[in-house]
Amino acid sequence: MTVCVIGNSHAGSLLKAFNTLPDARQLDWAFYSAADSYRDNAGLNAIAYDAKQGAFVDFPYHRGNHGPNAVIGNHDCFVLVGAHPAPVRMARWLNQEMSDRFRAAAVAEICRYAPLDRFVRLIRQSSPARILLMTRPAPSRDQPVPGADAAITEELIAEYWATRDVELVRQPAVTMTRDGMTRPAFHKPNDNQHYSPEGAMLALQAVRVALDAPRAVRTS
Amino acid sequence: MHPYHDIPPKSRWKDAVAARSPFDVSDLWDPKFPIAQGTPVVTFGAGVAQQFARALTARGMAWFDAEPAPRIVSKRLAQQFGYRRFSARTAAIDTPSLLLQWLRWAFAEAAIPGEVWIKGERFIDPFRPQIEPDGFASPETVTRMRDLTLAALRDCVTKSEVFVFALGQTESWFHRDGYEYPICPGTAGGTFDRDRHIFVNQRFSQVHAALGEAITLMRRHNPQIRILLTVSPAPLIATNSGDHILVATTQSKSILRAAAAELSAAQAFVDYFPGYEIVSAPTFRGMFLEPDQQSISPAGVDFIMRCFFDAQERMFGMHR
């Protein structure tokens, strides 16, 4: 099976973890990353899509056996990493009393605006490949929101992506506080956004566990 | 010499209307009080109040949204769920008696009926049946979410300086126990029951009394609040009066207009803005209506709001 990891700096964290903990199984991993949520300074999509090739092209960084372009048809599974707000952050944005349907619609809308959505859309145009999605890790220094809200939001994110035939890989519970924040030990020092090497290893482990599990049945 | 000798040009049909292009008709309103840039304004009433809110916001004025949606949510989605339409999620309030009912509930001056409508596995608030596209998860949520709106409405009265109310129509539906629905049960939820649901085409005395009581209630809780009334130019969608819709619309709007005039004439803190006249007067030849002759066109809304802001500037100088 070929696994294509596409992401921003968070994919870079996974790659470092991958280098430390190589896959014992015979999976063919390819990593493609671009900083700053795939956007250039003008806020445009820095990663172009070549419809003729069916490929995402011009990644600043790639690693693996498939060349510089992420050709969709070459891969059985995509792991999309980062460029999607963490559940706890979305819960914070939506931290007020509202109806269940409005909260679900708001979560879906935020997910749709995440830069990862473009990759999902383009992959799904030509491929039934499995897609796993990993959001940014939760921050560790934000004002916490009630843990129940973060859990509900994570559930709604998973439900939304399931409707797009995308499986959410959740942040490993061991890296998180009860409020849904990342424990400081699993964040880089002086960085409220990225995993520490230990955190990244646990995140990579979560991806591997998800790959080992049967593909989730599409919910709609 | 007689009193008409010295009237200003705006007071003479020939000068103010007949000799002018409709777009040059001006000085339609002499506002009683200023609405400055920082004056907190709330908007409620018929659908046209939403356009008022939009125009105020576009001008950078202090439209007070007492029940905001999260900022991250798009306007389209927020409005789909009844946010950012009026200053609280009351949905449209077409009659003064319904406004009075909301205000009495907000200030705990009347008991709130426990009626909730069921739609499949979801629950509808009979007093704003379309506020949530799919209804609420439970009857308790209906009540809880309405309580939030009532708290927001209280804030609107106690924290704002100007309460804009667009009067919509006189046709109304009541439960036989005396409370009012915003629309006929059965049309957008619930089930119509002719034994329980009573049609009332309100007369002048009823409209005038309810509007007067609503204003008195608001002034009791905020003695500084000023009321700006307007009549929605949008015609009735349908009438249950038995009259032709055109006749029913004219009757409805005439009664509302008269009640607004009566209250505005009686109190310095109540004013009337003639948005209705701008759209409905023959002078304007229906040009501000969409082809369905029901909705107000964007150009019409622009013209009405330009009249509003021009009048404010003429009377009180530039908005500050």
Side-chain angles (χ1 to χ4, degrees):
Chain A
M1 180 164 75
T2 62
V3 180
C4 177
V5 180
I6 294 178
N8 53 12
S9 53
H10 299 282
S13 303
L14 280 193
L15 175 56
K16 281 181 194 157
F18 184 83
N19 290 337
T20 313
L21 255 182
D23 200 355
R25 293 158 300 181
Q26 296 305 305
L27 300 183
D28 177 9
W29 290 76
F31 285 82
Y32 296 89
S33 71
D36 199 21
S37 302
Y38 324 104
R39 291 178 194 277
D40 58 23
N41 290 337
L44 303 171
N45 287 311
I47 302 302
Y49 176 70
D50 180 339
K52 209 168 174 182
Q53 274 192 81
F56 301 108
V57 298
D58 297 333
F59 275 95
Y61 186 84
H62 64 90
R63 166 89 178 272
N65 303 321
H66 296 276
N69 297 335
V71 180
I72 291 172
N74 286 350
H75 302 283
D76 305 308
C77 178
F78 289 85
V79 182
L80 305 179
V81 185
H84 187 299
V88 72
R89 184 145 279 177
M90 287 169 65
R92 194 165 150 64
W93 292 337
L94 302 174
N95 188 19
Q96 70 181 55
E97 201 164 349
M98 63 181 78
S99 72
D100 56 343
R101 291 290 160 88
F102 183 53
R103 187 175 295 280
V107 165
E109 185 177 77
I110 297 169
C111 292
R112 268 199 304 278
Y113 288 144
L116 285 184
D117 183 78
R118 170 174 172 259
F119 289 86
V120 171
R121 222 171 344 104
L122 291 168
I123 293 167
R124 278 285 167 262
Q125 277 179 12
S126 60
S127 169
R130 189 173 186 183
I131 303 177
L132 307 181
L133 185 147
M134 183 172 251
T135 71
R136 286 192 194 104
S140 53
R141 290 200 297 273
D142 272 18
Q143 191 96 29
V145 293
D149 285 4
I152 290 168
T153 305
E154 185 173 57
E155 223 34 65
L156 292 171
I157 294 168
E159 280 173 23
Y160 168 74
W161 283 114
T163 67
R164 310 280 303 273
D165 197 14
V166 174
E167 299 163 66
L168 180 71
V169 180
R170 296 163 199 249
Q171 180 169 349
V174 69
T175 65
M176 301 175 80
T177 66
R178 217 177 276 170
D179 291 327
M181 316 294 282
T182 298
R183 291 180 192 282
F186 295 103
H187 258 168
K188 276 185 182 170
N190 304 319
D191 180 332
N192 198 26
Q193 298 205 38
H194 294 90
Y195 281 124
S196 65
E198 297 77 15
M201 273 197 266
L202 290 165
L204 178 65
Q205 192 54 28
V207 171
R208 286 173 170 159
V209 169
L211 285 171
D212 287 343
R215 182 172 176 168
V217 176
R218 191 177 172 147
T219 57
S220 70
Chain B
M1 287 290 283
H2 53 75
Y4 292 94
H5 183 75
D6 289 333
I7 56 173
K10 73 165 189 177
S11 302
R12 199 179 298 281
W13 187 269
K14 185 180 158 195
D15 298 327
V17 178
R20 290 171 183 244
S21 145
F23 292 106
D24 293 330
V25 173
S26 61
D27 301 352
L28 281 159
W29 180 46
D30 292 336
K32 287 184 182 176
F33 43 80
I35 301 178
Q37 198 85 22
T39 304
V41 181
V42 295
T43 49
F44 288 94
V48 72
Q50 299 174 70
Q51 288 154 346
F52 220 92
R54 270 200 291 277
L56 292 173
T57 309
R59 281 254 176 161
M61 298 186 72
W63 180 65
F64 179 34
D65 185 359
E67 194 177 4
R71 278 192 302 176
I72 187 87
V73 170
S74 71
K75 184 177 159 192
R76 186 196 60 78
L77 180 62
Q79 292 196 336
Q80 199 184 330
F81 282 80
Y83 293 94
R84 297 183 202 167
R85 289 183 177 275
F86 304 95
S87 289
R89 287 175 83 207
T90 54
I93 299 174
D94 277 329
T95 61
S97 49
L98 189 62
L99 172 66
L100 179 61
Q101 179 171 282
W102 273 105
L103 290 168
R104 281 178 171 160
W105 291 349
F107 288 95
E109 294 184 11
I112 304 174
E115 183 175 350
V116 173
W117 294 342
I118 300 171
K119 181 184 174 189
E121 295 180 340
R122 307 284 294 180
F123 298 87
I124 307 293
D125 185 344
F127 305 108
R128 43 182 192 162
Q130 292 166 307
I131 202 75
E132 291 264 334
D134 299 323
F136 294 96
S138 66
E140 293 75 26
T141 318
V142 170
T143 307
R144 176 65 199 142
M145 296 305 292
R146 195 197 298 134
D147 284 347
L148 296 180
T149 298
L150 292 170
L153 179 56
R154 272 197 303 280
D155 280 348
C156 286
V157 172
T158 55
K159 294 179 181 169
S160 71
E161 291 181 25
V162 177
F163 191 103
V164 177
F165 184 63
L167 297 105
Q169 61 170 314
T170 55
E171 295 196 15
S172 53
W173 288 90
F174 284 75
H175 190 277
R176 68 177 175 207
D177 290 347
Y179 55 84
E180 183 173 355
Y181 300 102
I183 49 178
C184 176
T187 55
T191 308
F192 182 70
D193 177 347
R194 62 179 68 253
D195 293 331
R196 284 186 299 139
H197 300 139
I198 299 159
F199 174 70
V200 180
N201 195 4
Q202 298 186 30
R203 313 278 285 270
F204 173 82
S205 56
Q206 292 168 290
V207 171
H208 178 254
L211 192 52
E213 281 182 60
I215 292 170
T216 302
L217 185 154
M218 287 192 271
R219 292 280 292 185
R220 199 163 59 241
H221 292 280
N222 178 359
Q224 306 305 318
I225 199 167
R226 286 166 294 188
I227 315 297
L228 180 59
L229 301 173
T230 190
V231 172
S232 166
L236 307 191
I237 294 169
T239 179
N240 189 54
S241 64
D243 291 333
H244 189 284
I245 185 72
L246 199 146
V247 176
T249 295
T250 304
Q251 175 176 320
S252 211
K253 302 294 177 182
S254 303
I255 287 173
L256 297 175
R257 178 67 186 86
E262 188 71 16
L263 286 155
S264 169
Q267 301 290 356
F269 54 82
V270 180
D271 199 358
Y272 171 77
F273 172 69
Y276 169 71
E277 284 81 344
I278 293 169
V279 174
S280 310
T283 307
F284 295 101
R285 296 159 201 159
M287 69 173 84
F288 296 134
L289 291 169
E290 295 283 21
D292 63 2
Q293 296 186 61
Q294 186 178 31
S295 320
I296 317 301
S297 68
V301 174
D302 283 352
F303 188 81
I304 292 170
M305 293 314 298
R306 204 161 58 241
C307 289
F308 176 86
F309 291 116
D310 285 352
Q312 280 282 327
E313 287 176 13
R314 177 167 46 78
M315 292 295 287
F316 305 111
M318 294 299 287
H319 287 93
R320 290 179 211 287

